[in-house]
Amino acid sequence: PDVAVRESVAGKRPTGPNTCLNIRACLRKALNDARADELLPGYNPANLVKIRGNRPKPIVWEDERVQQWKKDGKLPGPVMVWTDDQVIQFLDYAAIHCPDLHPMWHYMAFRGPRRGEACGLRDSEVRLHRRETTINHQITTHGYTPVEKPPKSKAGNREIALDDDTVNILIAYKALRATWQHAAGPAWPNTGLFFVRQDGHAWHPDSVTQRFSRHVRKAGLPPIRLHDLRHSAATIALNAGVDIKVVSEQLGHSTTTLTRDTYQSVNKQLHQEAADAVAKRIRDRRRAA
């Protein structure tokens, strides 16, 4: 409730339990390396640090949850995922009301890159005639300052195949971008980026997020974070029967374990098949009896 305290942390992101786990893992690895090189005697003190971090599971915005949210305004969980129809509804809305960002959001919803990877996608790494893009660069933020750097892990450097719909969207976007460049003339900056603002400059990741949240509200859809478009891409692929290893590589996960632990709970097809298998076994046993 203290205004001064709130102002002192305005714009600063909190360090959550998962971030603390990553910090502890990095420190533990550094100290273990120091022990291996005989620079640190005795035990590794980082091994004694206990931190609880639970990765929240995505929850799908089913119709019943949407109706309850409209009544009380409460989210069922911290990570929400749109259904296929809700993704379509948003992209159709954005195509009309936000044509400068619609192609990026389509790319994220269909193929699942991270926000920084989409903002930092290089023009030279988009090969529409081959229906593929390469993720090897991203634009993230430190506080509010944009920072260009490689992807967050070795697995983050990856090829992303494109479907025909996405290719057509990006072809149309390149034509639109050419009209912006022609209007700007010599003032057009050479950023080397694929997705840019109408003045040719790079998108600030936070601006992309803010615009997304605003248009979600205007479209009348239940709220999700921009990052949750990535979750939607994963769940749609898994429910379509795409192998989990392919989905894991598409998302840039280091192992399929992370993909499975995060998205298995929303893969309805597998759970429905399990329920049907149990019921069939019981029916068969009854008939045999």
Side-chain angles (χ1 to χ4, degrees), residues 140-193:
T140 61
T141 56
H142 182 72
Y144 188 73
T145 304
V147 178
E148 298 190 35
K149 60 181 184 180
K152 62 184 299 185
S153 66
K154 182 179 179 181
N157 288 275
R158 63 197 187 279
E159 304 286 336
I160 295 183
L162 304 177
D163 58 280
D164 287 337
D165 289 346
T166 301
V167 168
N168 291 333
I169 293 275
L170 298 185
I171 289 174
Y173 166 73
K174 287 189 70 173
L176 177 62
R177 191 184 65 181
T179 63
W180 298 342
Q181 184 174 0
H182 179 74
W188 184 266
N190 182 23
T191 64
L193 299 173

Side-chain angles (χ1 to χ4, degrees), residues 221-286:
L221 286 162
I224 66 170
R225 305 168 304 166
L226 177 60
H227 188 75
D228 295 334
L229 278 184
R230 173 174 164 85
H231 296 314
S232 294
T235 55
I236 290 172
L238 289 172
N239 287 330
V242 179
D243 186 86
I244 195 166
K245 180 171 176 54
V246 175
V247 176
S248 180
E249 292 175 351
Q250 170 190 321
L251 297 176
H253 287 166
S254 56
T255 67
T256 57
T257 302
L258 175 58
T259 314
R260 184 177 293 104
D261 289 347
T262 304
Y263 300 111
Q264 202 77 21
S265 61
V266 292
N267 189 344
K268 294 186 176 182
Q269 182 176 347
L270 292 178
H271 291 282
Q272 191 63 58
E273 290 174 356
D276 291 341
V278 170
K280 182 178 182 302
R281 179 174 176 81
I282 295 299
R283 287 196 302 267
D284 291 344
R285 296 291 291 177
R286 282 174 173 168

